[in-house]
Amino acid sequence: MTINDFIEKFAEAVEIEDASALSANTEFRKLAEWDSLAYLSVIALLDEEFDVQIEMDDFRKLNSIQDIFDACQKD
Amino acid sequence: MAYLQYEGVGITALSAAVPKRVIANREYTEVFTKEEAAEIVDKTGIEQRRFADQNTCSSDLCLAAAERLISDNGINKEDIDLLVFISQTPDYRMPATSVTLQHRLGLGQKTIAFDINLGCSAFLYGLSVVYGMMEQSNLKKALLLDGETRSKVYSPRDRRSAFLFGDGGVAALIERDPKFGKSTFSLNSDGSRADLIMIPAGGYRKMSSAETVVEKVVDEFGNMRSDEQGYMRGGDVFNFVIREIPRDIKNTLTFAEKSVDDFDYVVFHQANNFINSYIMKKMKLDANKIPSTISKFGNTSSVSVPLTIVSELKGKLDGNKQLLLSAFGVGMTWATGIVPFVDCKISEIVEVENGQAV
């Protein structure tokens, strides 16, 4: 999956209608749509697409959409 | 590998009680706005819950369910040799609520009575304990009572838990009969995640004090609760559940040499629709086989699996039915059960107000 595909799926999960408003550098915590419910959707997205679970203590360190994408790339 | 198997023990009758008071989540707007409520309901699928009034405890719900069960099935109380009460919302810190229920139900002093404190997976743990005692003894009948008043546990000012939990109680009659065949349970625990769902104060680690009852702002969103109220780290609970639950179900099926297709119904702990739908999708399960009461009763902790059976499978359990049960939550603990139901008699749900059936 490319970062652009991921941005689209992220937008869908967080229910942002226009994915083009987002970029790899978007700081997702500053989005109006970001809340604990959106977080659950992102957890489901990461599990479904990458078979990855990121614990909350680690997830807290991530700021941009690119950060999430990078954290999902397995060695 | 902690798998347990029992032979020739089963649930012969099942009943349930819920508080009469209905909370409609979309109108639950004393603290949060209608828009916030709608957003949460859309995501969790919890439209309604039942809230116990101040005169109704978990034990009262179980008592009402048990009395209904006893009268519907013409049970001789002298035949009940074992009473187990499951709850994390007991009447007192001591004595054990099961013992008060022995008296309130009019059972004899020879009754074996004790409590199990565990949380959402506890009905399966309880079944396993009772099946074990029944299989290895000459006890005649056992009553497994499971009640929770989670509405009294969580802060109505904490958005992350205010819309999820409801109250209920069930009674299960458990007897020996070769017709049941074999039951299999997988019971698991992970105490490294004890802090994911917790009521920090009010036990003996952090005893009740003037400070523990003070409501405080606990996060950047302005959610409020005291240390005597429960909290849940929903994200990590979800991470945990989607990793462990499908795995435990698969391993238990492999151990018992069964496949999901062998089951008439799969009954999950009713956490919320988001979690439950995701598990169903991830495991590619047939939605027609998965009854749900999330929308009308919310998350009733350990009560949710048997309450869903009473509410949704009444009239559908004639003959020999194979049920797969899965429950998970606080602890963390999680459990899978392969439980045959043979001609299980299910009573109508009783409503309770002021501690009494109405």
Side-chain angles (χ1 to χ4, degrees), chain A residues 13 15 33-41 43-45 47-48 51-57 60, chain B residues 36 39-40 43-44 159-160 193 221 233-236 238-240 242-243 272 274-275 278 281-282:
Chain A
E15 295 179 27
E33 290 83 356
W34 184 256
D35 61 9
S36 59
L37 295 174
Y39 177 41
L40 292 183
S41 296
I43 291 171
L45 168 65
D47 182 68
E48 194 172 353
D51 194 19
V52 161
Q53 293 98 26
I54 303 175
E55 305 264 319
M56 198 151 67
D57 287 344
R60 275 208 193 93
Chain B
E36 282 175 296
E39 192 197 347
I40 295 168
K43 189 105 175 184
T44 61
R159 183 176 178 267
R160 294 165 302 177
R193 294 169 203 279
F221 300 107
R233 293 170 64 180
D236 278 346
F238 186 43
N239 268 322
F240 179 82
I242 60 185
R243 182 174 61 240
N272 63 65
F274 185 74
I275 288 187
Y278 185 75
K281 182 173 149 198
K282 180 168 175 163

Side-chain angles (χ1 to χ4, degrees), chain B residues 57-330:
Chain B
C57 286
S58 307
S59 62
D60 302 317
L61 298 170
C62 286
L63 181 74
E67 284 177 336
R68 181 66 187 249
L69 181 94
I70 288 168
S71 83
D72 279 1
N73 296 284
I75 297 163
N76 180 353
K77 288 184 181 177
E78 288 173 8
D79 290 346
I80 298 171
D81 292 320
L82 171 62
L83 187 165
V84 176
F85 176 70
I86 296 169
S87 190
Q88 291 189 315
T89 48
D91 289 22
Y92 311 105
R93 276 186 281 183
M94 67 183 217
T97 304
S98 51
V99 182
T100 68
L101 284 165
Q102 169 269 330
H103 171 66
R104 294 172 71 192
L105 280 164
L107 306 183
Q109 293 183 357
K110 291 269 185 199
T111 309
I112 303 165
F114 59 91
D115 287 12
I116 293 178
N117 168 332
L118 213 66
C120 305
S121 68
F123 187 74
L124 289 172
Y125 268 80
L127 270 188
S128 187
V129 168
V130 173
Y131 279 22
M133 290 180 76
M134 288 296 287
E135 189 189 50
Q136 298 295 330
S137 70
N138 55 13
L139 303 177
K140 281 196 197 111
K141 293 181 187 342
L143 265 187
L144 178 61
L145 307 182
D146 182 351
E148 288 288 355
T149 50
R150 293 279 161 158
S151 68
K152 302 184 186 197
V153 168
Y154 291 95
S155 165
R157 297 176 197 284
D158 185 345
R159 183 176 178 267
R160 294 165 302 177
S161 54
F163 290 84
L164 302 179
F165 295 94
D167 304 336
V170 298
L173 182 69
I174 294 162
E175 297 179 87
R176 257 186 317 280
D177 193 318
K179 71 181 182 185
F180 288 111
K182 192 181 281 179
S183 304
T184 306
F185 295 90
S186 164
L187 309 177
N188 310 275
S189 58
D190 180 359
S192 75
R193 294 169 203 279
D195 63 346
L196 294 193
I197 307 173
M198 183 180 256
I199 304 172
Y204 296 94
R205 179 71 58 190
K206 187 171 188 178
M207 286 175 70
S208 293
S209 68
E211 186 207 334
T212 60
V213 295
V214 177
E215 271 195 351
K216 291 171 284 198
V217 174
V218 291
D219 62 16
E220 68 271 31
F221 300 107
N223 287 308
M224 294 182 76
R225 62 174 163 77
S226 79
D227 283 346
E228 302 255 358
Q229 291 171 313
Y231 71 81
M232 184 167 62
R233 293 170 64 180
D236 278 346
V237 171
F238 186 43
N239 268 322
F240 179 82
V241 165
I242 60 185
R243 182 174 61 240
E244 297 300 339
I245 299 311
R247 181 189 298 172
D248 190 48
I249 291 174
K250 272 181 205 140
N251 291 346
T252 308
L253 290 175
T254 303
F255 173 80
E257 298 178 334
K258 300 229 177 230
S259 90
V260 171
D261 298 334
D262 296 333
F263 293 89
D264 296 286
Y265 297 102
V266 185
V267 187
F268 284 100
H269 166 52
Q270 308 285 290
N272 63 65
N273 196 44
F274 185 74
I275 288 187
N276 287 47
S277 309
Y278 185 75
I279 296 173
M280 197 166 80
K281 182 173 149 198
K282 180 168 175 163
M283 296 192 70
K284 301 184 175 68
L285 301 175
D286 175 0
N288 294 318
K289 286 187 177 183
I290 305 184
S292 172
T293 52
I294 286 170
S295 143
K296 59 181 166 190
F297 295 131
N299 181 337
T300 54
S301 184
S302 56
V303 182
S304 78
V305 166
L307 179 59
T308 298
I309 296 173
V310 174
S311 172
E312 304 305 307
L313 299 183
K314 182 174 165 56
K316 296 180 179 171
L317 293 181
D318 295 335
N320 191 335
K321 302 288 178 188
Q322 295 297 313
L323 268 65
L324 179 62
L325 311 179
S326 165
F328 45 83
V330 55

